Amino acid sequence: MNFRVGSKTDIGRARERNEDSFLVKEPLFAVADGMGGHRGGDVASAMALQALDRLDLPDQGPLAALVEQIKEANQAVLERGAAEGSLRGMGTTLTAMLAEDGKAHLAHVGDSRAYLLRDGHLQRLTEDHTLVQRMVREGRIRPDEAARHPQRNVLTRALGVDDDLPVDEFTLDLHPGDRIVLCTDGLTNMVEEDRIRHVLESEPDPQSAAERLVEEANAAGGDDNITVIVVEARGDGDARTAYSSGGAVATAPGPGGAEAVRDDTAGAHRAPSPSPARPGRRRRIAVRAVIVLVVVAAGLAGLRVYLNHQWYVGDSNGRVAIFHGIPAAPLGYHLSHVAVPTVIPANRAEQLQPYRDLRDGITASSFPDARSIVSQIRRDVLAQTRRRAPGTG
Ligand code: MN
């Protein structure tokens, strides 16, 4: 798998400095949005990405290494902030993606965001670490109120604030044609998600897409610095990436797709007729085989598109986990895989009324929804623990 990448950062229309930074060093991509007086903001975001850039991949696995490097970046920003008076209180967000072997490993702190554009749908992958997001989760305000809330920029997590930094981490399978967007809140506070989706869909070139998104944020007022990275995954040797994986084969075969259908057909029509048959009969069998293959291919492609948009929370080896797909295994064929494991014991969650069906899977409407279900389970299990052992909280 290879990538086409576009990136753009802009000061916006209202700020005196650009405190955003970004890193594009395939296969590592990241945005950081710095904050703090004087030059604190730009120092924090630039420092964090310099530290991230020192990532080399040892044996512990790419996602673990990425998270470890973010914790080191946190230490670096923290120490510099403590050592230099003019930089005191500086901090930064960081949203990073490391591509590896058909997968995207993501790690995230703060209110910058990662999105996935797949098959024309834009999916938010990260949860904002902000006070208002927490209020939404707790049901104290509505999501549409959060977008306009005066304190929507108050972060609950950032690099450079505390020794102990929880980092959100997860891994996604990448498909050819997928676009991952990393961006700072200077984009998402100014441009609606549906508009972002539209721009991404209408700009085939990732660089033009990144530039147009920045233009749109500026046209809407440009209240903040704006940074956008668009990473497009492409199949090996794929010249033109089709967005619709199923339709491309059945109705408008590209060079690769047509080849694949022909090969399969040849194999299929040899198999059922080992003895010589009349040419007409052989031809009819071949035609029938093609029809069957196209129907099966379209069905599988449709199923894959469907499964790509399904998420649920379930039990994976006794632990609560977020699954991608649906909780079913017809003919022993699993239609899901673990997307995000946790350490929460599943039996503890099942003891609580709302989660007693955990084993069968609790359906989520989206990936962020699945994440907030897990957060809720974590809180409820913790609260139950405290009730059981009073005085230890
Ligand atoms: Mn910002």
Side-chain angles (χ1 to χ4, degrees):
M1 187 166 268
N2 57 75
F3 299 95
R4 286 203 305 168
V5 184
S7 59
K8 174 87 179 163
T9 187
D10 190 79
I11 191 170
R13 296 251 164 99
R15 298 291 170 92
E16 282 176 24
R17 277 192 307 273
N18 189 348
E19 302 188 319
D20 286 358
S21 297
F22 71 96
L23 175 68
V24 171
K25 193 176 162 192
E26 197 177 322
L28 179 62
F29 310 93
V31 297
D33 178 350
M35 64 213 74
H38 303 284
R39 303 203 60 83
D42 19 332
V43 172
S45 65
M47 265 194 84
L49 293 187
Q50 280 157 20
L52 188 70
D53 191 18
R54 290 194 286 272
L55 173 74
D56 49 15
L57 293 174
D59 19 289
Q60 59 179 319
L63 183 57
L66 179 63
V67 169
E68 206 43 53
Q69 201 65 27
I70 289 175
K71 297 197 174 191
E72 269 178 42
N74 177 47
Q75 285 300 327
V77 176
L78 196 62
E79 281 162 23
R80 176 99 184 263
E84 266 177 68
S86 67
L87 299 177
R88 187 146 301 154
M90 72 175 176
T92 183
T93 72
L94 203 165
T95 300
M97 164 188 163
L98 177 64
E100 179 246 359
D101 200 17
K103 292 185 171 68
H105 304 288
L106 283 117
H108 161 75
V109 175
D111 68 349
S112 301
R113 288 180 184 173
Y115 287 93
L116 168 67
L117 181 81
R118 174 179 291 172
D119 303 322
H121 296 271
L122 188 70
Q123 210 174 354
R124 196 195 299 179
L125 298 174
T126 49
E127 187 180 353
D128 295 347
H129 299 138
T130 57
L131 215 49
V132 292
Q133 187 56 42
R134 185 183 286 177
M135 286 155 76
V136 169
R137 225 171 38 207
E138 290 168 356
R140 287 155 63 195
I141 60 172
R142 293 192 314 269
D144 60 305
E145 291 174 314
R148 292 183 302 270
H149 199 281
Q151 269 115 44
R152 63 173 182 259
N153 295 319
V154 178
L155 295 181
T156 51
R157 260 196 245 174
L159 275 79
V161 179
D162 198 89
D163 266 331
D164 178 36
L165 179 71
V167 177
D168 286 356
E169 52 182 284
F170 50 95
T171 296
L172 287 179
D173 286 328
L174 284 177
H175 301 167
D178 281 355
R179 282 181 165 186
I180 301 274
V181 178
L182 306 179
C183 60
T184 57
D185 66 339
L187 175 69
T188 49
N189 282 338
M190 307 309 294
V191 185
E192 302 274 354
E193 286 182 351
D194 197 53
R195 186 70 201 155
I196 294 175
R197 185 193 59 77
H198 175 79
V199 170
L200 287 167
E201 282 259 280
S202 56
E203 283 290 349
D205 175 45
Q207 183 60 37
S208 314
E211 285 169 11
R212 254 191 69 202
L213 288 170
V214 168
E215 277 167 27
E216 298 249 341
N218 274 325
D223 290 351
D224 194 2
N225 311 139
I226 310 138
T227 302
V228 182
I229 303 177
V230 178
V231 182
E232 183 179 291
R234 314 176 82 205
D236 293 318
D238 190 5
R240 286 176 301 114
T241 308
Y243 275 100
S244 52
S245 48
V249 175
T251 59
E259 216 85 62
V261 169
R262 262 202 303 277
D263 287 353
D264 290 356
T265 311
H269 102 248
R270 259 198 311 275
S273 53
S275 56
R278 281 178 292 130
R281 180 177 140 80
R282 183 180 281 198
R283 189 192 165 92
R284 273 200 307 279
I285 292 171
V287 167
R288 216 170 293 161
V290 170
I291 291 169
V292 168
L293 279 171
V294 167
V295 169
V296 169
L300 285 178
L303 179 65
R304 216 185 67 184
V305 168
Y306 170 75
L307 290 176
N308 280 340
H309 292 96
Q310 306 306 313
W311 301 88
Y312 69 97
V313 176
D315 176 339
S316 167
N317 297 322
R319 307 280 178 184
V320 175
I322 297 178
F323 289 79
H324 200 173
I326 56 171
L331 307 172
Y333 183 80
H334 286 269
L335 298 179
S336 65
H337 65 268
V338 173
V340 182
T342 77
V343 296
I344 308 169
N347 60 347
R348 297 283 302 284
E350 281 169 341
Q351 285 161 15
L352 300 168
Q353 173 67 17
Y355 315 121
R356 63 185 172 163
D357 295 332
L358 183 76
R359 195 149 311 200
D360 301 328
I362 301 169
T363 307
S365 59
S366 64
F367 182 62
D369 185 37
R371 297 187 69 90
S372 64
I373 291 172
V374 167
S375 305
Q376 192 61 50
I377 292 176
R378 185 178 286 117
R379 275 195 300 275
D380 292 350
V381 166
L382 212 62
Q384 179 203 35
T385 311
R386 292 212 179 99
R387 269 199 304 276
R388 279 183 174 176
T392 54

